[in-house]
Amino acid sequence: MAFTPVACRQAGVRVRHIRSFHIIQPFGLLLMLLAPVCRAQGLDAQVNALLAPLSEMFSSLVFYSVELLGVQLPLVVLWLVAGTLFCTLYLGFINLRGLPHALRLVRGDFSTPGEAGEVSHFQALATALSGTVGIGNIGGVAVAIAIGGPGAVFWMLVAGFLGMSTKFVECTLAVMFRQHNKDGSISGGPMYYLRDGLARRGLPRMGRLMGLLYAWGIVIGAMGIGNMFQSNQAFVQFVAATGGQEQSWFSDKGWLFGVIMAAVVGYVIIGGIRSIVKVTEKVVPFMAVLYVGLALLLIILNREALPFALQAIWDGAFTSTGAACGALGAMIVGFQRAVFSNEAGLGSAAIAHSAVRTREPATEGYVALLEPFIDTIVICSLTALVIITTLYYQPGLTDIEGGVAMTSAAFERQLSWSPPLLAFAAMLFAFSTMISWSYYGLKGWTYIVGENPRADLGFKLVFCMFAALGSMIQLEAVLSFSDAMVFLVCVPNVLGIYLLAPLVRRELRAYRSRLQQRAAESADTAATAVPLSKPR
């Protein structure tokens, strides 16, 4: 599982840097030796006990809730939803009007060879989607329905629709203020558009502070929720697919799975964004087709229950009879599930989109519209219909503990052979999330310490080590802290969106004007190219 010179060359790494990768060769052996020690000494319990008070205090601050009509409303969710509503209204429902143009851009209709950047529109979209489509699409939706009732699904779709506009703003800004490095690579994302964009608005100090806060948040979040949690969930699904906790040979070999996972992730991420997109552009469509195909098949088999499911979603969204907490509770749970799933307002996807090959920032804003549409409106909706149609036949489904287990039970009722495939899909979701978040964390880290090969390599090695540890030990306090840190970054990011929105609207209008001018020129060219009829 070591990184060899051949593997490094295949990943696109220059030969002169290959010696550094021999550091990874004793890495697997070290983790294998540490795993029994960690368990024997209860290292995870000691770390949790040490960090739990700090983590709980920080999490309670970030996810602070106020009671509204008997329902707890997290202010961070309200902050994110307010941002999505603002972007939608300010840009005149770009989330609806821009979809046809977004599809044409992804198809490559407006691509021009030789433009600055590292990846295509489709590759950027696939990488960003691999970071958002994850375990939450399988298990998180089920938990949302169990807590908020079927009505939560309606509000989840509303929040996903609004989130498309936020993605447009974030990714347009990411291309407007991206940094071109000496080696030809691109660095971009909220930390750059907060720093440089706010400086353009006459707020340089505020921009530097907000950019630094965002960078630290994305680094910590990448190590925890974007890495250790995903590795842990991938191991849980692997054990489930190979016989379960009692029968699987791998049930007590988290160290082995962790080392393999770290090696595979390291092999992919070592070559940077160009290596990552080669994987995501293949894995994302495959896992999406696999999961969507399974979900559609089950929904067809449960077609008798579709009217019940649609009626339950509608009634639960507006009446107090359809949800455990009433209509308001369904709304809050639905909004929360959507923003947790598609990350609209967090700005993470803008880091991947900033590397696109284009000279028109607005084009990547259009492409980014498709992320919440695919993640929330398509995939999360299918999961919801799987759960709710199964509830028609099996009312006790939501009593099952664990979201993934609940969704798996729904599939297994009609498709007895599906749980292993579902577990495989969940593993792919976790893996793809890890490689995307490694890039997000890397760009946050190089923003803090500067662009240099040692900083780049050091982060990747540490990321791989955390990936392995995630399968070995349970660091709930660390995960809770990193989760809170990820959502803390929405505070500077959404504030920056409010302040920089005029720049985006100006860019959008200029882009539309250029499109119209190009269309008029094409029409004139076509008219003059028509041959004149011969005189009689």
Side-chain angles (χ1 to χ4, degrees):
M1 297 303 169
F3 288 102
T4 64
V6 174
C8 294
R9 289 191 188 96
Q10 291 174 346
V13 182
R14 294 183 179 179
V15 176
R16 67 170 179 265
H17 295 314
I18 288 177
R19 291 182 181 178
S20 303
F21 294 114
H22 287 297
I23 300 173
I24 199 71
Q25 292 188 352
F27 168 66
L29 177 61
L30 175 62
L31 289 171
M32 284 186 270
L33 295 173
L34 282 177
V37 177
C38 291
R39 286 206 179 122
Q41 297 182 353
L43 179 63
D44 49 351
Q46 294 179 25
V47 172
N48 279 323
L50 180 65
L51 296 180
L54 175 62
S55 176
E56 290 176 8
M57 181 181 69
F58 187 64
S59 295
S60 63
L61 177 65
V62 174
F63 297 108
Y64 180 78
S65 300
V66 295
E67 188 172 325
L68 182 62
L69 300 178
V71 179
Q72 293 297 317
L73 174 62
L75 293 183
V76 68
V77 173
L78 181 62
W79 177 249
L80 285 167
V81 173
T84 64
L85 184 60
F86 166 78
C87 292
T88 300
L89 297 176
Y90 190 75
L91 296 179
F93 286 88
I94 187 68
N95 46 358
L96 187 61
R97 297 184 296 108
L99 270 178
H101 189 61
L103 292 171
R104 293 186 64 190
L105 284 165
V106 171
R107 196 170 59 186
D109 288 359
F110 298 92
S111 298
T112 303
E115 291 184 331
E118 298 184 84
V119 300
S120 68
H121 287 298
F122 175 76
Q123 290 172 328
L125 176 63
T127 302
L129 274 173
S130 71
T132 58
V133 177
I135 298 295
N137 297 83
I138 297 177
V141 176
V143 172
I145 294 171
I147 296 174
V153 177
F154 176 86
W155 297 111
M156 178 184 71
L157 297 180
V158 171
F161 173 71
L162 296 175
M164 294 166 66
S165 302
T166 310
K167 290 277 187 172
F168 179 93
V169 175
E170 292 172 337
C171 296
T172 300
L173 287 171
V175 178
M176 287 176 67
F177 295 100
R178 62 183 178 178
Q179 175 178 294
H180 296 263
N181 301 319
K182 294 180 180 179
D183 61 357
S185 64
I186 300 290
S187 295
M191 47 278 191
Y192 290 93
Y193 65 66
L194 288 172
R195 182 191 67 187
D196 301 336
L198 292 181
R200 184 181 295 184
R201 296 299 305 271
L203 300 168
R205 292 184 180 179
M206 181 181 180
R208 286 194 297 270
L209 177 62
M210 290 169 62
L212 197 59
L213 174 62
Y214 187 94
W216 276 112
I218 208 71
V219 168
I220 295 172
M223 290 298 180
I225 295 301
N227 187 358
M228 293 183 70
F229 175 75
Q230 304 299 327
S231 175
N232 181 268
Q233 291 301 297
F235 176 62
V236 170
Q237 296 309 310
F238 183 74
V239 170
T242 54
Q245 193 66 35
E246 296 181 356
Q247 298 181 9
S248 175
W249 182 79
F250 293 94
S251 60
D252 61 344
K253 296 177 176 61
W255 61 269
L256 177 60
F257 183 89
V259 169
I260 295 173
M261 177 67 81
V264 174
V265 168
Y267 179 80
V268 174
I269 71 175
I270 218 74
I273 186 63
R274 299 186 186 187
S275 176
I276 292 172
V277 299
K278 288 179 182 178
V279 175
T280 57
E281 69 177 345
K282 297 178 179 65
V283 170
V284 170
F286 173 75
M287 70 184 189
V289 170
L290 173 64
Y291 184 72
V292 169
L294 282 174
L296 285 175
L297 176 59
L298 183 65
I299 292 168
I300 291 171
L301 294 174
N302 288 348
R303 59 188 177 275
E304 180 188 6
L306 266 178
F308 161 80
L310 297 175
Q311 188 66 42
I313 291 171
W314 182 260
D315 289 344
F318 299 102
T319 69
S320 60
T321 59
C325 304
L328 181 61
M331 181 188 298
I332 292 171
V333 172
F335 279 169
Q336 183 168 308
R337 177 64 260 152
V339 298
F340 285 8
S341 177
N342 59 51
E343 300 173 11
L346 299 186
S348 51
I351 300 173
H353 283 282
S354 66
V356 71
R357 289 191 294 267
T358 186
R359 59 182 177 182
E360 296 280 6
T363 59
E364 203 56 23
Y366 276 105
V367 171
L369 291 174
L370 296 171
E371 280 180 52
F373 181 82
I374 296 171
D375 177 273
T376 305
I377 296 177
V378 176
I379 297 179
C380 286
S381 294
L382 289 175
T383 302
L385 288 176
V386 165
I387 298 295
I388 301 172
T389 54
T390 304
L391 281 173
Y392 178 77
Y393 306 100
Q394 188 179 334
L397 178 68
T398 52
D399 295 333
I400 297 175
E401 185 177 351
V404 176
M406 196 186 308
T407 305
S408 181
F411 275 96
E412 190 173 12
R413 181 189 166 275
Q414 286 277 29
L415 307 171
S416 59
W417 44 266
S418 63
L421 278 179
L422 189 64
F424 178 65
M427 288 175 58
L428 282 180
F429 286 174
F431 169 72
S432 65
T433 299
M434 290 173 70
I435 60 176
S436 292
W437 273 83
S438 72
Y439 183 70
Y440 300 163
L442 171 65
K443 288 304 174 181
W445 179 245
T446 54
Y447 176 86
I448 296 168
V449 303
E451 298 281 348
N452 64 79
R454 291 185 179 181
D456 187 292
L457 175 61
F459 179 87
K460 290 172 181 175
L461 292 177
V462 173
F463 190 89
C464 290
M465 182 175 294
F466 272 75
L469 288 173
S471 299
M472 294 187 221
I473 56 179
Q474 301 292 326
L475 297 178
E476 287 87 355
V478 174
L479 295 178
S480 177
F481 182 83
S482 69
D483 189 24
M485 200 69 184
V486 165
F487 281 90
L488 178 64
V489 301
C490 79
V491 177
N493 186 55
V494 173
L495 180 58
I497 285 174
Y498 285 128
L499 295 172
L500 299 175
L503 301 181
V504 176
R505 187 163 66 175
R506 190 182 310 154
E507 179 65 29
L508 176 59
R509 288 174 176 172
Y511 174 68
R512 285 176 175 168
S513 177
R514 288 190 289 271
L515 272 183
Q516 292 173 356
Q517 182 179 356
R518 190 182 307 174
E521 291 174 354
S522 299
D524 291 341
T525 302
T528 56
V530 176
L532 298 174
S533 58
K534 295 181 179 180
R536 295 181 180 177

